[in-house]
Amino acid sequence: MSEPVATLDITREVCPMTYVRTKLRLETLEAGAVLEIILRGSEPLKNVPRSAREEGHEVVSLEAREDGTHRLVLRKQGR
């Protein structure tokens, strides 16, 4: 797996801004780039990976962390 080229912390955001922030950050990356996202709460945990998949991006991994947040890794797909 490639190392993330950027990290986005959306733990203080609420839906729908969680995915809006994620989408805006993805738009700044090259196709194939890997973005690490730190998120908190059940809605972002469900909605951010789903929305990313719907837009054609790859969910590389999603893991719980000890501090109650989750680490989501996305690979931007080229269009």
Side-chain angles (χ1 to χ4, degrees):
M1 180 181 89
S2 310
E3 285 296 308
V5 297
T7 298
L8 177 63
D9 182 341
I10 56 171
T11 55
R12 294 192 169 142
E13 301 290 339
V14 294
C15 288
M17 286 308 294
T18 50
Y19 191 66
V20 170
R21 292 273 313 273
T22 301
K23 181 177 173 145
L24 290 172
R25 190 66 181 99
L26 281 166
E27 287 175 0
T28 69
L29 303 178
E30 302 272 328
V34 176
L35 175 63
E36 173 186 55
I37 302 151
I38 308 303
L39 47 89
R40 178 187 308 275
S42 60
E43 277 191 77
L45 187 58
K46 180 175 66 178
N47 295 337
V48 174
R50 186 192 71 220
S51 296
R53 276 193 203 97
E54 287 172 358
E55 293 203 352
H57 305 294
E58 176 190 352
V59 175
V60 177
S61 66
L62 177 59
E63 58 199 38
R65 301 181 351 154
E66 289 183 14
D67 64 359
T69 63
H70 283 77
R71 178 180 183 260
L72 171 65
V73 178
L74 297 178
R75 183 180 318 275
K76 179 177 178 175
Q77 296 306 308
R79 294 260 165 102

